[in-house]
Every structure is written in C-alpha cells, then in structure tokens.
C-alpha cells in the first residue's frame, strides 16, 4: 500500500516544528516513530499533505526524575522506557508493547497523542493521574490524563500543539501488576488492566485501576477503586471489587472478542491484577 503524496520537513527545534505546523495548515501532521501514523497513511485512512518529523528536534527524549515523579521526553521510545526499571509499572507495560521493532520506533508521545484505547500506555497514564506537557503557539500548558482522552483516536491536544514531555507520578509504596489478554504476545490487547495497590498492614489504603480497550477511550475503573479502598487486602474483598470492573464500560466488539466477552475479561483480569499487586 502506498500513501498519498506528501511533503516532509525535519525541523531542528520545537519552535521550528511549530512554525512548520502553522505553515502546513490543518493537513500538516507531526511524525514521531511513525508506527501508528504511517500504517494509517498506507491504508489511506490519513492523508496529511505535510509531515513534520520530530526526529531531529533535540531535547525531546530521555527519562529523568523530576518533582518526586518522572519526566519522560515525548520522543522516548517504548524500548527506552522498558529499560528504566525505576518506572515500575510503566516500564513493565512498555516491555509488553508489540515486538522489538515497534518498541524501538514507537514513542510515548506518539502513543498518547494518537489516543488509541487499545494502546498500552494511555491506561497507565490515566490510572497514575499523570499528565502531558504541550507547547503551542500560545506557549506551554499541561494536560492531566483525565482531560486528555476525549474519544476514539481523539485527544484534547490541539492540531498546532506538540507534546514535549510526559509526567508520570512515581507511585512509590504501591505494588503493581499488568494483565494484558491477547492471542499472541506481540498482539494488541483484547483487554488490558493496569493496577496499583497500596497494601498497608493488610489494608488497601489506595488503589488505581486503568482499563484498556474497554471503550472509545482508556478508562479508569472507579467503581473497583471505591469498593476496595479501605478494605482488607483479602481474596474475598478483591474478588468482590473486581466484579465491578466492567461497570459503565461500552467495549467495542471486534474479530477477537464480543463486548460481553470483553466485560468478562475485564472482571477476571482485574481480579488477577489486584491479587498480584496486593501481594507485591
Ligand atoms: C505492528 C504494530 C503493533 C503494535 N502494537 C502495539 C501494542 O500492542 N500496544 C501499543 O500500545 N501500541 C502498539 N503499536 C503502536 C505503537 O506503540 C506506536 O508506535 C504508537 O502508538 C505511536 O507512537 P509513534 O511514535 O509511532 O507515533 P506516530 O505514528 O509517529 O504518530 C501517531 C500520532 O501522534 C501524533 N504525534 C506523534 N508525536 C507527537 C507529539 N510529540 N506531539 C503531538 N502529536 C504527536 C502524530 O501526528 C500522529 O497523529 C503497534 C504498532 C504496530 C505498527
């Protein structure tokens, strides 16, 4: 499959990239790892007239501790995140993405800006209450994950804004687990569940649950969190809370799983993930 014709620029700074976006108009698109955008272009589901490649912009990759959490450059590849074990769940999740080629090209900024609910990192950012920092014509702003994902492949990042970095809270003191259900290890998740549990002396003092592919955006299983917070970290309490995992979700049916099967998966995977995280 061959994409429609397009122009290509490789700016050397964020300001140059913003200018190129402005000059390219509404059909200009940023290019990061290209592993979501290029397949869409090849299928002619996207036909940008200009690609603005962020690959030559210095300062957009890297992982560092900042303000008690982590600052991850937007152009940081999944593979680099997977190597930074201090990132905890986010590193573990990055390692489950597809295959080595995708992990070396795909970036966290691209994954979050693309806004695919089946992707692995959006649900993690949402449940951790992380944020993205964007730069646009009017300067910089920060978007909390709860305000980022609006609909299928739709985020609150404006067309003329660039994600420069991602802030991930450190989640110190939490045990974590990720349950991703797919047919082959490198496949997209049919359903994925990201969980943090703070088990203090046998009581769940805090808990976060993020769901992937259970709706048009990544979701937070707030009913599970509310049911388990303050309860004993027991098998019974976990099983009872996990039964609420599909509440309020509208998972899309697809070739691999019907909506009902996905709801069943969400409940089972949430119970497994909570059990592991509570024991970690
Ligand atoms: C075969 C295959 C399997 C895959 N499997 C998985 C999987 O199991 N799990 C998973 O999570 N992902 C999977 N992916 C997707 C992969 O992780 C993508 O690389 C990622 O979702 C997008 O990142 P990217 O850097 O490639 O972005 P690109 O494809 O370059 O861009 C994606 C979108 O984000 C925009 N964008 C990119 N960077 C920025 C920025 N800094 N600021 C604003 N907008 C930006 C682009 O304009 C575009 O609209 C798979 C991809 C392939 C090809």
């Amino acid at each position: 499959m061959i994409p429609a014709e397009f122009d290509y620029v490789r700016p050397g700074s964020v300001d140059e990239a913003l200018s190129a976006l402005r000059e390219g108009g509404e059909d200009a698109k940023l290019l990061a790892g290209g592993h979501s955008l290029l397949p869409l272009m090849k299928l002619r589901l996207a036909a940008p007239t200009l690609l603005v490649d962020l690959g030559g912009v210095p300062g957009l990759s890297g992982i560092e501790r900042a303000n008690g959490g982590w600052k991850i450059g937007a152009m940081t590849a999944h593979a680099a995140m997977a190597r930074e074990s201090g990132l905890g769940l986010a590193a573990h999740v990055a390692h489950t993405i597809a295959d080595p080629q995708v992990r070396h090209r795909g970036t966290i900024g691209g994954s979050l800006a693309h806004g695919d609910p089946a992707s692995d990192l959006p649900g993690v950012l949402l449940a951790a209450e992380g944020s993205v920092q964007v730069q646009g014509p009017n300067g910089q702003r920060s978007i909390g994950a709860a305000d980022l994902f609006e609909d299928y492949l739709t985020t609150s990042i404006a067309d003329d804004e660039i994600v420069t970095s991602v802030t991930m809270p450190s989640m110190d003191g939490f045990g974590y687990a990720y349950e991703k259900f797919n047919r082959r290890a490198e496949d997209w998740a049919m359903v994925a569940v990201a969980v943090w549990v703070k088990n203090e002396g046998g009581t769940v003092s805090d808990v976060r649950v993020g769901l992937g592919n259970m709706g048009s955006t990544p979701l937070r299983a707030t009913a599970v969190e509310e049911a388990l917070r303050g309860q004993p970290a027991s098998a019974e309490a976990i099983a009872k809370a996990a039964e609420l995992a599909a509440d309020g979700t509208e998972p899309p049916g697809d070739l691999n799983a019907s909506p009902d099967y996905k709801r069943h998966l969400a409940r089972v995977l949430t119970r497994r993930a909570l059990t592991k995280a509570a024991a970690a």
Side-chain angles (χ1 to χ4, degrees):
M1 303 286 257
I2 300 185
E5 208 172 284
F6 58 88
D7 289 327
Y8 169 90
V9 289
R10 192 174 161 88
S13 69
V14 171
D15 284 342
E16 281 178 30
L18 287 170
S19 300
L21 272 184
R22 191 170 54 245
E23 281 158 26
E26 63 179 19
D27 289 327
K29 271 271 176 203
L30 293 167
L31 176 71
H35 271 50
S36 290
L37 182 55
L38 296 185
L40 288 180
M41 289 170 64
K42 288 182 173 181
L43 292 168
R44 305 244 173 164
L45 294 172
T49 49
L50 173 69
L51 285 189
V52 180
D53 187 351
L54 292 175
V57 177
L60 289 183
S61 348
I63 304 170
E64 60 186 58
R65 296 281 330 204
N67 302 322
W70 293 92
K71 184 179 169 197
I72 306 167
M75 288 292 285
T76 305
H78 306 321
M81 283 181 63
R83 283 194 299 271
E84 178 49 77
S85 59
L87 284 172
L89 179 58
H92 173 69
V93 167
H95 187 68
T96 72
I97 295 175
D99 51 38
Q101 179 185 334
V102 173
R103 291 197 290 275
H104 279 88
R105 297 296 307 178
T107 66
I108 185 168
S111 176
L112 298 174
H114 190 55
D116 186 338
S119 290
D120 293 282
L121 292 169
V124 172
L125 189 83
L126 186 66
E129 298 179 359
S131 60
V132 296
Q133 288 68 55
V134 300
Q135 198 163 325
N138 302 318
Q140 292 190 330
R141 67 182 180 120
S142 177
I143 309 173
D147 298 320
L148 181 62
F149 305 106
E150 294 188 326
D151 204 345
Y152 184 67
L153 304 189
T154 307
T155 69
S156 54
I157 303 162
D159 288 345
D160 57 0
E161 288 181 320
I162 297 174
V163 179
T164 52
S165 62
V166 178
T167 298
M168 197 73 84
S170 65
M171 308 303 285
D172 291 337
F174 283 80
Y176 62 80
Y178 190 57
E179 291 289 323
K180 177 175 180 176
F181 195 84
N182 45 15
R183 279 153 47 102
R184 301 170 307 169
E186 69 271 30
D187 282 348
W188 294 86
M190 273 183 230
V191 174
V193 184
V195 157
W196 282 275
V197 174
K198 192 176 261 187
N199 181 347
E200 291 189 287
T203 299
V204 176
S205 61
D206 200 359
V207 53
R208 310 287 181 80
V209 183
L211 302 174
N213 216 7
M214 285 296 291
S216 59
T217 63
L219 297 171
R220 193 148 162 200
T222 47
V224 176
E225 295 178 2
E226 281 161 19
L228 194 56
R229 201 169 282 124
Q231 297 298 312
S234 64
E236 295 73 28
I238 285 173
K240 201 170 160 200
E243 278 305 302
L244 306 173
D247 280 20
T249 63
E250 288 184 32
D254 55 40
L255 279 178
N256 289 315
S258 66
D260 272 350
Y261 184 51
K262 286 189 180 178
R263 288 191 193 96
H264 167 74
L265 283 176
R267 290 188 282 265
V268 172
L269 299 178
T270 299
R271 179 172 45 76
R272 286 183 195 162
L274 288 170
T275 304
K276 282 185 194 164

